[in-house]
Amino acid sequence: MPHFPMDSPDSVRSLPARRTVLGAMAATAASPTLLGLSSPASAASAAPVALPRALPGGGDLGPNVIVFDPSTSGIQAKLDEVFRQQESAQFGTGRYALLFKPGTYNGLNAQLGFYTSIAGLGLSPDDTAINGDVTVDAGWFNGNATQNFWRSAENLALTPVSGTNRWAVAQAAPFRRMHVRGGLNLAPTGYGWASGGYIADSRIDGSVGPYSQQQWYTRDSSVGGWANAVWNMVFSGVQGAPTQSFPNPPYTTLDTTPVSREKPFLYLNGSEYRVFLPERRTNARGTTWGSGTPRGTSLPLTQFYVARPGVTAATLNAALTQGLHLLLTPGIYHLDQPIQVDRASTVVLGLGYATLIPDNGVTALRTADVDGVRLAGFLIDAGPVNSSTLLEVGPTGASASHSANPTTVQDVFIRIGGAGAGKATTSMVINSRHTIIDHTWVWRADHGTGVGWETNRADYGIRVNGDDVLATGLFVEHFNKYDVQWYGQRGRTIFFQNEKAYDAPNQAAIQNGNVKGYAAYKVADSVTTHEGWGLGSYCYYNVDPTIVQHNGFAAPNTPGVKFHDLLVVSLGGQGQYEHVVNETGAPTSGTSTVPSTVVSYP
């Protein structure tokens, strides 16, 4: 994100934006081995064949899952210790999940740094009440919140000390199943730049104040009010959302979300850990938990292989073959072969930003073309050897219908570079029909280590081949060519945020045949039906500010391909757009960072 100064909240509408109880029992297992017989003749004297040992389900959540209950002493000190370690560790190796058992906690301020998740262990957010705050601010970065990535809050009720909770975040920082008994401030202290964000299945009793937030997506929630907008505020299924008014102010409001299914979550049933699997909803509006027990099913932790860093991909796959689900505890997992999910309704759930790194150019995770796989809560970090893909949902040519039980990809984030050199040709490929991509940030790093036009080469962000795919909350940034390519029919996207690659060395480096630059969001010419709402693309070609990008969005000019509320922005005049979508929309110009908008296309 480029960083601009911010004066005061009054100026935001006109300015550019941008443990304490540790886990107990270990659940490690050696990889299964077989003792073979050398020949039939030696069978009588040879040792008997040892069958593969079954891997255990359940067990210890590991040293980086810190579980609190209301009687725990020193909670604040532990929270502060983790925060000091993680506050500025943007590309560090620490990973933490802070889990609170049901009950009431008083006088806490849980400040969250990088790779830190906080969550309640109740079935409802109101089961775990914190009279205090869960805070994200930007003191580590001089009041600029545009790099407050990779942290999350989930399944808690907060009564903020001041009446308003501060959650000043950028990408990959979901706020899910939260009840704020007060207001929510999405800007840092001093109202510096912020570039978020995502709220789902939450209730904010008071008003939400975005202030300096550039863009935000809120889904299936309830808010007491919404204070302002900078560039792109999108709502679907939100009670209390502002009315549709794009571009002045830039609110895009859908009364319902066409299809949604909330993220799986860990909870306690008495003393037993279980994973709750919320049911699918159509035309959803409001939270899933506001009146009575949430609807869905649950699984005991004994049906999960509880993985710890250091486990091999072969063992993870053996657990899946055995019929277990996967719970990835916080840490970094190196993979020498893909994790292969072949069984319908398999859950792969990460805690504390568990991170998968393919070391030798493999794909990190693949699924078969089956119903109801749930992938949630982990980060994939590209390795130094180029991977053709990092995540594949369904094999090439997948065609089965999954309308009644789709695969969901939720809070699954992908990074190429930043923590070290990484490369991938296409980061995420969606082949299975009816897949729901619900909040992802797919990021070719623009800062950190291992960053350069060829150093962390990544041509394509997301490619959608499957039909009937829905994306709710799509953040894709800085790819060398297309950020999003959509080949499937009847695709839909609600909210899209993009920046083109900052580091293009010159116009020739991004030239797409006769077209100046690759569109951020490209719908293939073969597509006859597609729809998108609230989509934005920004350019900041600071290496060569003379670069011209023809458009942010490109699609076949046909009545069945429709867009609502599009914008492109040149950040400080570092590069310019000629159009918004195809040949439509005014060019950006000058250094004033004013969006060019298209309300409806065609």
Side-chain angles (χ1 to χ4, degrees), residues 521-540:
Y521 189 106
K522 166 66 173 174
V523 181
D525 293 343
S526 57
V527 173
T528 58
T529 307
H530 187 91
E531 197 160 8
W533 297 262
L535 315 182
S537 177
Y538 322 148
C539 74
Y540 186 72

Side-chain angles (χ1 to χ4, degrees), residues 344-358:
S345 300
T346 297
V347 180
V348 181
L349 176 61
L351 301 179
Y353 287 81
T355 301
L356 308 178
I357 302 179

Side-chain angles (χ1 to χ4, degrees), residues 97-243:
L98 311 175
L99 305 183
F100 286 74
K101 294 182 179 182
T104 300
Y105 301 78
N106 294 311
L108 296 182
N109 181 18
Q111 300 182 80
L112 299 188
F114 287 97
Y115 314 108
T116 306
S117 298
I118 189 170
L121 287 170
L123 198 53
S124 164
D126 289 336
D127 294 339
T128 310
I130 294 179
N131 293 316
D133 297 79
V134 172
T135 302
V136 179
D137 209 340
W140 75 278
F141 200 47
N142 299 315
N144 184 324
T146 58
Q147 293 183 24
N148 279 352
F149 313 139
W150 304 307
R151 62 201 74 195
S152 67
E154 184 173 355
N155 205 29
L156 293 166
L158 306 178
T159 304
V161 170
S162 70
T164 300
N165 189 77
R166 187 180 300 279
W167 185 256
V169 298
Q171 289 82 356
F175 198 79
R176 289 184 180 268
R177 293 178 57 79
M178 295 291 287
H179 182 189
V180 181
R181 295 167 174 157
L184 188 64
N185 185 334
L186 304 179
T189 302
Y191 300 93
W193 300 120
S195 184
Y198 176 91
I199 293 171
D201 200 24
S202 294
R203 188 169 103 198
I204 293 86
D205 294 344
S207 183
V208 179
Y211 304 117
S212 54
Q213 276 289 353
Q214 295 172 176
Q215 67 277 314
W216 201 274
Y217 175 50
T218 307
R219 178 182 64 71
D220 299 356
S221 293
S222 172
V223 299
W226 196 273
N228 72 291
V230 176
W231 290 340
N232 189 30
M233 301 286 158
V234 180
F235 309 83
S236 68
V238 178
Q239 298 165 340
T243 58

Side-chain angles (χ1 to χ4, degrees), residues 351-429:
L351 301 179
Y353 287 81
T355 301
L356 308 178
I357 302 179
D359 287 327
N360 54 357
V362 300
T363 298
L365 191 150
R366 290 191 177 114
T367 79
D369 191 25
V370 294
D371 275 357
V373 173
R374 305 188 194 220
L375 309 177
F378 55 89
L379 170 66
I380 299 174
D381 207 352
V385 178
N386 185 75
S387 294
S388 59
T389 60
L390 293 171
L391 175 65
E392 296 179 18
V393 178
T396 300
S399 60
S401 174
H402 306 293
S403 59
N405 190 10
T407 286
T408 47
V409 182
Q410 301 178 283
D411 301 347
V412 173
F413 308 117
I414 294 179
R415 178 174 68 195
I416 302 96
K423 294 184 179 183
T425 304
T426 305
S427 291
M428 184 184 296
V429 179

Side-chain angles (χ1 to χ4, degrees), residues 434-449:
H434 301 102
T435 298
I436 301 173
I437 309 168
D438 177 44
H439 189 228
T440 188
W441 184 38
V442 182
W443 185 57
R444 176 182 169 265
D446 61 277
H447 62 272
T449 60

